[in-house]
């Protein structure tokens, strides 16, 4: 089976040429290489990334989050179509470490955004699968570089909105959009305060019908909440607006605001500065992730650590002593 | 010089007995051992911690933060005296990774809280010094255990309020208190949104004289801001109150609220559950910190990483490729 799979592989050069020519089929196959865990694919992946790197980066990268039920898919469908109508090529990616992707859910993702998926200026790719958030985020980050090299100038990266993946998305995007609902109880919203902190814009979605009045109240509340906090480094004051994805109301406003943001951060130098910092940070995050894999990936460590947890809970050893003991053993056994 | 220092050391048993007997002089000397970077002291430190561990934990641990100028020292002086008047034994510790401690600043710390420092039921120890936040936080955490074993039943841990140390303090305390000022511009406050998220209580300090009216407005604003966010796992809704440390107004309210909190989390089981999670987390944080030290502490790595940063910024290599390359070299050279 492994060999059969490998026979379907192209040469690195074929992937590189195809991606740079904007060939969607080759792009998809190249992303499959990036997502692959086969050792033989990893070297092809490195060669592809290495070659397309100088052609990447020419886009605005937009992170989009919100809890399930907030209407993310419908928002992205309407927003994506608007972006295409404005002359953009749009790639829609996602980070969801919980997803065990199957053919079913790929179809599912495309069905959710049926009209957008049928536009040749839009490219939809669901989340990579993987054991760790770091691994999944790396794959999405490299997929983003491929999409840029293939000519997509707006990248939307969606998250599931309930975990740590928002931080990863924030770390690889230029603009962070948080979708909220009016009138939902605080707990229903499920959005952590730390996520509010990252938002450049909050959009109260489903602001239609009976919801219009409530949405206006929510808008004011969120605006007050955001104003209590200090100005972000970008120099951009986070804003709140209302939208109806179903009725296509307020969607153009979102894109206008993002363009205003882009103009501001191009002028004040934040855009380039932030991109550079993100790249360096990306290296460090990956290093730290790999160091942890090396350590926690060992069966011997995994067994010992369970024992130490029990010892700590029974006050038999202090957390610091436990940590130092196991790292010392690790050093010996390397 | 090294030998001269070592001659001043007691046996581990002498430290342990002295600490458990509540001897303040021995407690201070034991903390010096905990804070020491001498290899010979480290094994004494382990023995001390190991022995006092079963006697630690019997306290309420309160984290206190706020930007410089918010009146933290005056608040802690007034609050600490109130706690002592209520029959408590109070230890005041701090985490400040930026501090290069000298005899001067120790005196400084005690002068700041002169009356409190003179009470025999209060024990003040300024921040340990150290190269990394993780190292400093570990020393403060172990100092906290010693103070508990010495009979202090209220531990106040102060942070400087401008960096990452708040997260460390939040990770080792039961209740997190944020001091704010009324009428300060948002930027002056300098408090990150993530820190607001951790607060169990916000106290608007300096609510006296002309500031009373402004403080009431600020109280309402912060209350609104906090209510937008979901209920924390503790089941405790964060509250806002006003206080004047100089005039001793509202200080008793703070302690009453903390006691209400304690009653709630004792009843709903959160107190014990959170303490257990914190201990396990403490081990993992220390392990990850030590793994990073092993890696970044190598001169060879440090040189290579600088070169890789430059290569990344010039699009010569991708962040993921750079990270994988250097970790592979590290594995070989171990």
């Amino acid at each position: 089976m492994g060999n059969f799979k490998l026979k379907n592989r192209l040469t690195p050069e074929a992937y590189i040429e195809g991606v740079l020519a904007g060939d969607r089929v080759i792009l998809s196959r190249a992303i499959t290489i990036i997502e692959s865990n086969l050792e033989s694919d990893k070297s092809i992946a490195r060669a592809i990334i290495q070659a397309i790197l100088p052609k990447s980066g020419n886009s605005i990268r937009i992170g989009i989050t919100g809890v399930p039920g907030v209407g993310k898919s419908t928002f992205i469908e309407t927003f994506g179509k608007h972006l295409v109508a404005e002359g953009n090529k749009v790639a829609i990616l996602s980070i969801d470490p919980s997803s065990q992707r199957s053919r079913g859910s790929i179809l599912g993702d495309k069905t959710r955004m049926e009209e957008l998926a049928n536009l040749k200026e839009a490219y939809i790719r669901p989340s990579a699968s993987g054991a760790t958030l770091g691994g999944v985020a790396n794959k999405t980050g490299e997929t983003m570089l491929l999409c840029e090299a293939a000519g997509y100038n707006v990248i939307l990266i969606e998250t599931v909105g309930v975990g740590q993946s928002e931080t990863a998305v924030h770390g690889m995007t230029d603009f962070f959009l948080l979708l909220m609902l009016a009138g939902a109880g605080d707990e229903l919203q499920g959005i952590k305060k730390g996520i509010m902190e990252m938002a450049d814009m909050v959009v109260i979605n489903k602001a239609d019908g009976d919801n219009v009045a409530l949405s206006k109240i929510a808008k004011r509340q969120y605006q007050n909440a955001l104003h209590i906090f200090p100005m972000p480094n970008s120099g951009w004051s986070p804003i709140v607006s209302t939208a109806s994805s179903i009725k296509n109301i307020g969607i153009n406003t979102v894109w206008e605001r993002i363009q205003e943001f882009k103009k501001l951060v191009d002028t004040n130098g934040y855009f380039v500065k932030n991109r550079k910092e993100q790249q360096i940070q990306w290296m460090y995050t990956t290093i730290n992730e790999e160091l942890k894999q090396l350590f926690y990936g060992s069966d011997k460590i995994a067994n010992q650590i369970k024992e130490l947890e029990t010892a700590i809970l029974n006050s038999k050893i202090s957390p610091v002593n436990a940590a130092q003991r196991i790292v010392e053993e690790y050093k010996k056994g390397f």
Side-chain angles (χ1 to χ4, degrees), chain A residues 19-323:
Chain A
V19 168
L20 293 179
D23 182 320
R24 293 162 63 106
V25 175
I26 303 285
L27 173 62
S28 291
R29 292 181 64 179
I31 295 172
T32 300
I33 301 289
I34 298 292
E35 294 179 346
S36 167
N37 290 317
L38 292 173
E39 278 307 319
S40 54
D41 283 339
K42 284 184 184 169
S43 62
I44 309 179
R46 287 197 191 193
I48 299 173
I49 293 291
Q50 199 61 23
I52 61 90
L53 202 56
K55 304 287 182 184
S56 69
N58 191 20
S59 74
I60 174 110
R61 303 164 177 173
I62 303 167
I64 301 181
T65 196
V67 292
V70 79
K72 249 184 328 217
S73 304
T74 318
F75 175 84
I76 291 174
E77 163 106 344
T78 310
F79 185 52
K81 286 194 294 182
H82 178 75
L83 292 172
V84 169
E86 296 268 306
N88 300 289
K89 282 188 74 181
V90 187
I92 295 99
L93 314 177
S94 57
I95 293 188
D96 177 2
S98 67
S99 87
Q100 283 304 320
R101 203 172 94 210
S102 65
R103 193 144 291 275
S105 72
I106 299 181
L107 288 175
D109 253 28
K110 295 214 169 168
T111 316
R112 288 194 297 142
M113 304 173 188
E114 203 170 0
E115 291 183 38
L116 186 61
N118 285 331
L119 297 176
K120 69 174 184 350
E121 297 86 358
Y123 179 78
I124 301 178
R125 180 86 180 191
S127 179
S129 62
T132 65
L133 171 60
V136 172
N138 271 344
K139 289 168 182 177
T140 302
E142 297 194 314
T143 297
M144 172 177 81
L145 302 179
L146 289 191
C147 291
E148 289 173 346
Y152 294 89
N153 70 314
V154 182
I155 313 285
L156 307 182
I157 306 186
E158 177 196 10
T159 80
V160 287
V162 285
Q164 284 295 305
S165 51
E166 292 74 16
T167 310
V169 170
H170 184 252
M172 61 174 74
T173 53
D174 308 308
F175 189 91
F176 199 75
L177 198 63
L178 174 60
L179 299 183
M180 297 290 258
L181 290 180
D186 292 344
E187 276 142 297
L188 278 178
Q189 299 268 30
I191 288 290
K192 298 199 168 190
K193 277 167 259 191
I195 292 172
M196 280 288 281
E197 176 169 18
M198 300 189 292
D200 294 300
M201 182 169 191
V202 176
V203 176
I204 318 281
N205 197 24
K206 303 192 182 176
D208 39 42
D210 295 346
N211 244 335
V212 172
L214 274 175
S215 299
K216 281 185 186 159
I217 296 170
K219 178 183 167 178
R220 203 167 51 240
Q221 282 181 334
Y222 283 113
Q223 237 153 12
N224 288 339
L226 287 169
H227 280 161
I228 279 200
F229 302 125
M231 179 73 93
N233 294 335
S234 61
W236 170 261
S237 285
I239 47 173
V240 186
S241 79
T242 60
S244 165
S245 304
I246 290 175
K247 303 206 165 182
N248 196 358
I249 299 168
I251 299 296
N252 56 337
T253 308
V254 177
W255 183 230
E256 283 166 19
R257 291 294 168 275
I258 293 174
Q259 286 174 300
E260 284 167 21
F261 169 86
K262 181 68 165 61
K263 203 182 242 176
L264 174 77
V265 293
D266 273 342
T267 309
N268 69 17
Y270 179 79
F271 185 84
V272 169
K273 187 169 159 284
N274 183 50
R275 280 266 179 112
K276 286 185 174 178
E277 285 173 2
Q278 285 182 337
Q279 281 183 290
I280 299 299
Q281 192 51 51
W282 190 1
M283 176 184 71
Y284 283 109
T285 308
T286 307
I287 289 175
N288 296 341
E289 204 50 51
E290 300 255 331
L291 294 178
K292 282 194 219 172
Q293 298 276 62
L294 268 182
F295 180 82
Y296 295 106
S298 144
D299 284 343
K300 200 177 144 206
I301 295 289
N303 289 334
Q304 285 190 10
I305 229 164
K306 279 291 149 215
E307 285 170 27
L308 286 172
E309 282 195 10
T310 309
I312 287 172
L313 292 179
N314 294 323
S315 293
K316 299 285 186 208
I317 190 169
S318 86
V320 174
N321 285 0

